[in-house]
Amino acid sequence: MEGVMNSAIIISILATGIRLATPYLLAALGEMFTQRSGVYNLGVEGIMMMGAFAGFFATLHLGSPLLGIIASLIIGALMGLLMALVSVTFKAEQGISGIGLYMFGWGLSGLLYRLYVGGITSIDGLKEVKIPLLSNIPFLGPIFFNQNILVYTALALVPLSGFILYKTSWGLNVRAVGNKPEAADTLGVNVVRIRYECLIVGSMLAGLAGAFLTIGQANMYADNITAGRGFIAIALVYFGRWSPWGILLGSLLFSMADSFQSMVQVLGINFPYELAVILPYVVTIVALAISFGRVWAPAALGKPFQRGTRG
Amino acid sequence: MKKVLTLMLAVFTLLAFTAGCGTNTTDASKTAETAPQAKAEKVRIALVLPATVDDLAWCQSMVEGLKAVQKTMGEDKVEVVTSEKLGSAVDAGAAIRQYATQGYDIIIAHGSQYQSVLMDIAKDFPKTTFAYGSGFETAPNIFAYDPQAQDGGYLLGMLAAMTTKSGIVGIVGPVESGDAVKFNSGVQQGVAKGKADVKTRIAYTGSFNDIVGAGNLAKTQMSAGADILTGSSQQAVGAMRAVAENKGKYWLSTDMDQSSVAPDTVLAAQAYNWEKVVTKIIDLRKQGILGGQHLTLTFADGTIELKYNEKLADKIPAEAKAAVEQAKQDIISGKLKVELPKK
């Protein structure tokens, strides 16, 4: 009996960890594309809030979480377009415009909620989808194959992003634009266009990460629902060295630590709760500090592109 | 010469305007002098909230209390203005000072974090009544209100212990401080009293408003066996919503009755009756007492109420309800005293 309880607890910790990693994974993979093209978008948190609201609102009124997902992707794309307009076309300082976008997203999502919903309202969100056969595998089945569709999407996006980034010509262009935009430009790559595309794709994923919180987790909306997750996602891009697998590792490390500390608290294991709640952050910082090697970053990150000048 | 003329003209126009304004001011002050007599009965209340007016918890309970006051005393007798999302005491301080300058009679800063800001501001506005809570430190024009959250927690804990089937009661706490600790300690004592072998498991999210985090912590609590859960602060609705996903799992709410959102999940609630508290503050002010009192919310004066969800009445064993009602009477009569956590 004791042994069964233990394996059930471990399964619960790991399955929860995978679930908790999903919003970080989605938002960080999106931000990875954005930064790979040479733009850092600090507005992820605000885009997530807008995506969270859009997903919630569409699900509430149209009755389908899948339409909620689509709504969050559209809103994410619009927010990305706005960021691209400001930071690529108008060449505004990226850090400042990102913070502006964050505040805009926070304010607007709260306002729209107050105007069109108001009060705590719950929705029927995404349900867990058991994958036939795979979900029957002992131990691994309940951890990986009994989650909702956005969890699978996020996990599938890791190899997919890797493929797009390293094996397609578009991915090559993105990397070129983020490292040597002048060289890419001379070779006929449309730098502005690539950056627009990356900001839009990245923001769509941030919107999806927000929708995961409302329709995949909470099944409701509240002001500031993201509670800092967007900023953690940005940190995870650095942690993951702008690579999908690195981001997966960082997201899982952070979320597993979070899931583990929750269970430690719940089981009443004698451990100060203040230390427990900061455990995920400590683990991430320590891992970042001890990982060695030359830190590589897209060379043109943060620099607006101006044809005819050298970055 | 032309320039001088223009200048003279400008100066005279300006003077004329100033004179005009001067007369207007006198008129305005005259009406202002007569106005208070005509509207002497009208109480102007400003409310400053850390979260939103619709958080279905601490803040909303006060908003509804004030609405009830307006309804009872008459909309024309009580004016209420609200500023929300002022979690930072510094931002709240600016709003509080502004309300005081605008001449509001009673300014309620609905959070323990506002204590030191109020202590500072209240000195500059000796004729204004300030109130905040939870807290106990007062000043000549500051009331501190203080819900005895441990009492309701105790009753809910008893109810949970005598209703649970798994033998585990889970608490989804925000931050280990203040009211949350009081409430949780009450629940723990109540559970122990209700049934000796039922366990209480307490875990904190480390945040007051992360509803997603609270929902996830509730899921962890349930996967580890809890079938009756409770928790305080505005993030608690996230935990309640997670509980509502599961059949056979129930939630006990505090601050206000949350059964409207999860009618099949909320068994019972500890609800604060702010109407009575605010009415008392208004009455005291009318008697010339602007502050200086520590106002406790208790079952004895009806400022705390225990509400059962009628829809789920059959889920609570009769003996549990009887025992809880008896304990409530004992708390009211003073026979039972719920211990406060030792600091």
Side-chain angles (χ1 to χ4, degrees), chain A residues 5 9 12 16 19-20 110 113-114 118-120 122-125 127 213 216-225 227 229 261-263 265-267 273-274 277, chain B residues 52-56 60 84-85 174-177 201-207 209-213 215-217 219-221 223-224 237-238 240-242 245 261:
Chain A
M5 264 309 284
I9 292 293
S12 165
T16 304
R19 196 176 71 225
L20 294 184
Y113 185 76
R114 175 60 44 80
I120 301 287
S122 70
I123 49 169
D124 274 329
K127 298 277 180 285
L213 298 178
Q217 295 257 73
N219 291 326
M220 55 164 68
Y221 180 89
D223 188 53
N224 195 16
I225 188 161
R229 287 175 180 81
Q261 68 86 11
S262 297
M263 191 56 96
Q265 283 197 64
V266 164
L267 294 181
Y273 115 90
E274 292 88 347
V277 291
Chain B
T52 57
V53 295
D54 49 15
D55 67 352
L56 205 67
Q60 189 175 345
E84 57 174 356
K85 300 186 197 176
V175 174
E176 193 176 23
S177 69
R201 285 173 168 171
I202 306 181
Y204 295 92
T205 60
S207 162
N209 46 25
D210 184 2
I211 63 160
V212 177
N216 280 317
L217 192 53
K219 285 175 194 168
T220 300
Q221 282 276 20
S223 74
V237 288
M240 176 191 72
R241 186 64 185 83
E245 289 287 302
V261 172

Side-chain angles (χ1 to χ4, degrees), chain A residues 269-285:
Chain A
I269 294 164
N270 201 4
F271 192 75
Y273 115 90
E274 292 88 347
L275 288 180
V277 291
I278 63 165
L279 183 71
Y281 303 91
V282 172
V283 168
T284 311
I285 291 168

